[in-house]
Amino acid sequence: MIATGSEDPSGKLELTWPDKHRTLLTESVGGKPHWVDAGHWRAAEVRLLAETNSVGQLPGDPHAANLLITGDSLAALRSLLSITEYKAEHAGKVKLAYLDPPFNTGQAFAHYDDGVEHTTWLTMMRDRLVLIEQLLSPDGTVWVHLDDNEMAYCRVLMDEIFGRENFVATIVWKKADSPRNSAKHFSTDQDYIHVYAKDAPAWRPNRLGRTDQTDAAYTNPDNDPRGPWTPGDPFANKPYALGSYEVTGPTGNRFGPPPGRYWRVSEETFRELDRTGQIYWRGGGEARPRIKRYLASVGDLVPRTAWDYTEVGSSGTGSREIRKLFPDRPVFATPKPEALLERVLAVASKPGDLVLDCFAGSGTTAAVAHKMGRRWVTVEQNPDTVATFTAPRLTMVVEGRDSGGVTSSNGWAGGGGFRSLTVQESMFEEHERNLFLRAQNETLKKAVAAQFGFRFELGSGVLCGRAGQRRLAVLPDLQMAVARRLLNEVEQGQSVAVYVEAQPEPDVDEYVRKERPGSTVEMIPQAITRAYGHSLAPTAKRTGLRLLSHFTSTGIAASPQLGTER
Ligand SMILES: C[S@@+](CC[C@H](N)C(=O)[O-])C[C@H]1O[C@@H](n2cnc3c(N)ncnc32)[C@H](O)[C@@H]1O
């Protein structure tokens, strides 16, 4: 067995697996996953997000729009958390994250044996869940949809990341509407959804509205003027001082509470209920009576943990919904039914809330979130899936051309919009273990602003970013003439972070620091890779990732040492 529970020296129960302290790059679809050390530039780089398309109406600030991102979810989540403009709209703001990852890594990472798949899967999930924890709002929840392959391991992993005290429930979704007779052992009926809250003691689910199905248990065989009712249990287990008496039924039989139980109302109240027709004498009075519970007096429903396909659809429902939307395309492999997501969204979000799904597939979460008036961000790695299913489906939703799924239950007729973004390629290029900057000009400036948390601002001068009173400049080199122009743009009381590709003259460096105290002049890419090591420290401490010491070393060698890879 690859993964084992173990006690670490602090006494904390922990799941361990080979290479847990490393991180995994899964950048190319169907490609071989690639292990690197935490803090390695490939694991820490903040990638830019470029708009490739937009559909429908967008809000004034494009960073606050609904986002369909094509690319690896790890890179996309890091960009949302790090690029200042996106961070402002997303970090700590996600009310609900629903993740439906590849269940069996055999499908996600071809050509690996089971043991390795298990390791890659756990690392893949750990790296993303750590970022999702930072994206969640204080009253947010994360829902991870799994089957038997990884549900037990993922629960322990989520305990580690979110805290065991923040486990809320595991939903069992009965997804099969018929048995699979070809099953080797059992025909599997269910999937699981682990629910964790950022703060479970404080979090409360929304109650669910009543439906015809939940109300079917209420009937009115005696034409009670109070309306439909159901026979309610008249007994309680908790001792009740006035709850031990006997009543006489219409046929003369006498009834008291069963041993160890008590009437839940006093004798006086019971008689009043009987006089006004609110007691149901079962079997004409031969069996113990019931107290009628009226439909009119019951409120919305507390969510339960067993969800049946008759209420929220089956896996077959999901496939039929996609087939209806795209009749001429081979059906997407594992779409979830819209009603399942409608239930998740109803329990854990309200209109206007931000919903995240970083394994979009055919886009069910975003489609349902849109129809239910939520803001959404969804990420899908496979560009073919986005082009074939996700983007056209969400466009149909915006344009009111999707009549299926939960459209009618939400009265959806179209509206709103979304932006399509693509995770951009790396700003770096590696040659024979040397690291070079590939990005140039404006792209390089944007990329450096993203790495260091500056808001990108390009004017007519030298400066290109701002973070409070700190300004940013990214330059090929720093001559004295440029330094003077630069300082003309930096007001007294402000400082500037200058990143240069070539070693500046020492007197120029000194001049900038002296004229604007607090300013810094550093070389790139070295300053960037150094910062990656530092920025990972809090995550590393919590999740057992080990950092490489060379990222904390200084130096201006043209080829910074790289982390080990395999
Ligand atoms: C089980 S499907 C999700 C199905 C989706 N819930 C639906 O209703 O259509 C998982 C999806 O995650 C995508 N995926 C796998 N690895 C990914 C990654 N690293 N980043 C983003 N998406 C990824 C797969 O391409 C696949 O489309």
Side-chain angles (χ1 to χ4, degrees), residues 141 363 388 447:
T141 52
T388 315

Side-chain angles (χ1 to χ4, degrees), residues 480-523:
M480 189 53 99
V482 178
R484 290 212 173 88
R485 267 176 45 214
L486 173 78
L487 291 193
N488 276 341
E489 295 177 44
V490 182
E491 291 165 23
Q492 289 293 344
Q494 294 185 333
S495 65
V496 60
V498 186
Y499 294 102
V500 279
E501 290 177 63
Q503 176 81 43
E505 295 297 323
D507 56 332
V508 182
D509 180 349
E510 208 181 301
Y511 168 72
V512 172
R513 291 167 198 263
K514 201 165 131 244
E515 290 295 315
R516 295 291 180 276
S519 296
T520 48
V521 179
E522 291 181 278
M523 277 187 69

Side-chain angles (χ1 to χ4, degrees), residues 268-304:
E268 191 185 340
T269 306
F270 186 95
R271 287 189 191 291
E272 179 59 17
L273 290 174
D274 196 19
R275 195 184 64 75
T276 53
Q278 297 183 63
I279 297 296
Y280 168 50
W281 293 99
R282 291 191 303 153
E286 292 297 322
R288 280 201 177 92
R290 299 276 165 167
I291 299 176
K292 291 181 183 175
R293 187 143 40 90
Y294 293 95
L295 180 56
S297 66
V298 292
D300 282 347
L301 302 165
V302 69
R304 300 173 69 172

